Amino acid sequence: MALISPSRRLRRTPFSDGVEAAGVKAYTVYNHMLLPTVFRSVEEDYRHLKEAVQIWDVACERQIELRGPDAARLMQMLTPRDLRGMTPGQCYYVPIVDETGGMLNDPVAVKLAEDRWWISIADSDLLYWVKATAHGWRLDVLVDEPDVSPLAIQGPRADDLMARVFGDGVRDIRFFRYGIFEFQGRDMVIARSGYSKQGGFEIYVEGSDIGMPLWHALMEAGRDLDVHAGCPNLIERIEGGLLSYGNDMTDDNTPHECGLGKFCNTHTAIGCVGRDALLRVAKEGPVQQIRALEIDGPKVPGCDRWWGVTANGKRVGRVSSAAWSPDFATNAAIGMIRMTHWDPGTEVTVEAPDGPRRARVRDTFWA
C-alpha cells in the first residue's frame, strides 16, 4: 500500500509523540486524525490485549459539545434512544439517525449536566449535522468541538494500572458510568467503557498540553504490568461483534438492520428527527441484518472492501469485516445478510478476493 503523506489536514493527536516512540507500524485516518492500527503485529497486539493492559490513543473519537438551555432537547432530537431517564454521571450508547432513519453515527453520549453533553463520535463529520439541526430549529445551544481527547486503557489489568495513577476509587466506576478524578491538578472525566470486550476505561483528557504527561505517567506506573501502547484490534472487535461505522454500517442502514433495535425507544423518544421513519421500520421489521459469519479455509486476506455473499448464485448480503481468529481457529466475519438467509446454520458463499469460500451464519458472535 502507498504511504499517506502527512499534512495539517491530517491531524496529529496529543499522544502522537508517545505512539511514535512506542513503535507504531500502521495508521488509518479517522475523523481527519491519525489512529494507530498496528504496533507489533495484529495477532501479537491481540494476544497482549487479552492478557495484560494497553494504552490506546483514541483522540480521533472527537467530542461534540452541546452547551446551553436546549442541550438536552437537541441531544434527544439526534437519537431514537429515550434519554429522559439519563442522569449526569452516565454514558449511553446512542444511534444517531437522519430524517430517513439512516445511521449517521453510533457514538457514546456523556451527560455532564442537563445543559452540557459530550458526544464521543465514530468516524463521520457529525458535527455539521448537529450544528445544522441546532440552527434550523433555532435552539438555544452552543455546538462545538472542545479540546478533549480520549485515551483508552484496555485489558484485564486495566483496573490495577488506573488505580496506581488515579487512586483506588477508580475501581468503583460502574460500566458506562463515569467519575471525576484528578491528575496533576486537572479534573478528568473517566468512564468505564471502551472499544474492546476485555474491560477498561476511557479518560477524556481535557487540554492537549496534559496529554503526554498523562501518557508517561501511565507507562511508568504499568512497567511491571506489561503495559504497552495498543489500539483497537481488528480480530478482537470482530470476535466481540463490535461494529465499525463506515465499515459495517453506513447511512443506508437503520439501527434495526445493525442489530441496535434495543437502543431505539421509538415510541417514547419524542422529538427524534428520524422517529416517524423508524416507527415504520419497527412495525415492518428489517429485510437484512448484521450477522456473525464463520468462513472456511485458510486465513482470509485483508478486508478493505465489501465482499459479496451469495447463495445459489444470487447475492444475499455482504461481508464488511473479516479476520483469522487464533483463539477460535476460524475466519471470523461480520456481514449484512438478507432475512432469507440469516438463520443460524445457513450455508452461504463468500466471494473473497482469493476466490469463493464456504461460510455459515452463526447465532451469536464469539465473545
Side-chain angles (χ1 to χ4, degrees):
M1 180 178 176
L3 295 176
I4 296 176
S5 299
S7 75
R8 178 63 182 85
R9 290 181 292 105
L10 180 54
R11 295 186 289 173
R12 292 170 62 81
T13 82
F15 318 109
S16 289
D17 289 345
V19 165
E20 290 166 0
V24 64
K25 290 183 177 176
Y27 290 105
T28 189
V29 179
Y30 194 104
N31 282 326
H32 312 283
M33 296 190 85
L34 293 167
L35 171 62
T37 56
V38 181
F39 281 87
R40 288 175 283 185
S41 73
V42 174
E43 289 197 8
E44 286 178 278
D45 293 346
Y46 161 88
R47 178 58 51 218
H48 180 265
L49 172 61
K50 289 190 169 188
E51 293 176 351
V53 60
Q54 295 180 352
I55 302 174
W56 294 2
D57 174 3
V58 285
C60 61
E61 295 172 1
R62 302 312 300 159
Q63 306 304 298
I64 298 173
E65 182 166 316
L66 315 181
R67 191 165 67 252
D70 287 333
R73 181 186 174 192
L74 175 57
M75 189 68 237
Q76 186 63 83
M77 292 177 73
L78 301 173
T79 180
R81 184 166 185 181
D82 190 339
L83 304 179
R84 289 177 300 173
M86 188 178 181
T87 59
Q90 287 185 293
C91 311
Y92 271 18
Y93 180 70
V94 290
I96 303 288
V97 298
D98 64 15
E99 74 283 0
T100 70
M103 292 279 295
L104 294 178
N105 209 281
D106 66 325
V108 171
V110 181
K111 186 172 184 178
L112 302 169
E114 194 64 30
D115 60 355
R116 189 181 180 211
W117 301 65
W118 286 340
I119 311 172
S120 189
I121 66 171
D123 185 27
S124 78
D125 291 311
L126 189 69
L127 176 65
Y128 304 121
W129 171 263
V130 180
K131 279 181 171 286
T133 303
H135 177 74
W137 286 84
R138 299 183 182 278
L139 301 181
D140 187 4
V141 59
L142 177 66
V143 178
D144 64 8
E145 180 185 311
D147 183 14
V148 175
S149 300
L151 188 67
I153 313 301
Q154 300 289 294
R157 298 178 180 175
D159 278 58
D160 292 337
L161 175 57
M162 289 291 285
R164 293 179 183 185
V165 175
F166 293 100
D168 280 332
V170 78
R171 298 180 188 271
D172 298 329
I173 302 174
R174 292 158 55 194
F175 184 62
F176 261 52
R177 301 273 182 148
Y178 70 82
I180 308 295
F181 294 84
E182 185 182 354
F183 176 77
Q184 294 187 1
R186 301 277 189 91
D187 285 341
M188 295 189 179
V189 170
I190 298 179
R192 189 176 288 277
S193 58
Y195 195 55
S196 87
K197 288 295 185 78
Q198 306 312 309
F201 302 85
E202 289 179 299
I203 309 167
Y204 291 81
V205 181
E206 196 165 2
S208 296
D209 60 305
I210 201 70
M212 283 311 300
L214 176 59
W215 177 280
H216 290 314
L218 288 162
M219 281 291 186
E220 184 62 31
R223 284 181 181 273
D224 63 324
L225 299 175
D226 192 26
V227 65
H228 277 72
C231 52
N233 185 269
L234 174 68
I235 305 168
E236 195 268 350
R237 83 159 181 86
I238 294 174
E239 289 177 352
L242 299 178
L243 305 184
S244 169
Y245 185 81
N247 285 315
D248 304 313
M249 53 188 168
T250 71
D251 57 1
D252 288 330
N253 302 120
T254 67
H256 296 82
E257 290 178 337
C258 302
L260 304 178
K262 63 183 178 182
F263 300 111
C264 296
N265 314 110
T266 321
H267 288 283
T268 57
I270 307 300
C272 172
V273 296
R275 180 170 176 262
D276 289 346
L278 289 178
L279 281 169
R280 292 192 295 272
V281 173
K283 182 178 180 181
E284 298 167 3
V287 298
Q288 59 179 357
Q289 200 166 55
I290 291 284
R291 285 292 186 271
L293 293 171
E294 196 167 27
I295 303 174
D296 289 348
K299 293 182 181 180
V300 290
C303 186
D304 62 349
R305 63 204 69 191
W306 289 340
W307 303 342
V309 176
T310 61
N312 300 318
K314 295 183 178 180
R315 189 178 175 103
V316 296
R318 68 180 188 237
V319 164
S320 50
S321 299
W324 174 260
S325 165
D327 280 359
F328 296 96
T330 189
N331 290 299
I334 297 173
M336 184 73 74
I337 308 297
R338 292 191 64 81
M339 65 185 300
T340 53
H341 291 78
W342 71 26
D343 288 341
T346 302
E347 297 272 347
V348 294
T349 298
V350 172
E351 304 296 340
D354 58 355
R357 303 275 196 108
R358 291 179 58 191
R360 285 163 303 285
V361 178
R362 287 175 53 90
D363 57 343
T364 61
F365 285 93
W366 289 262

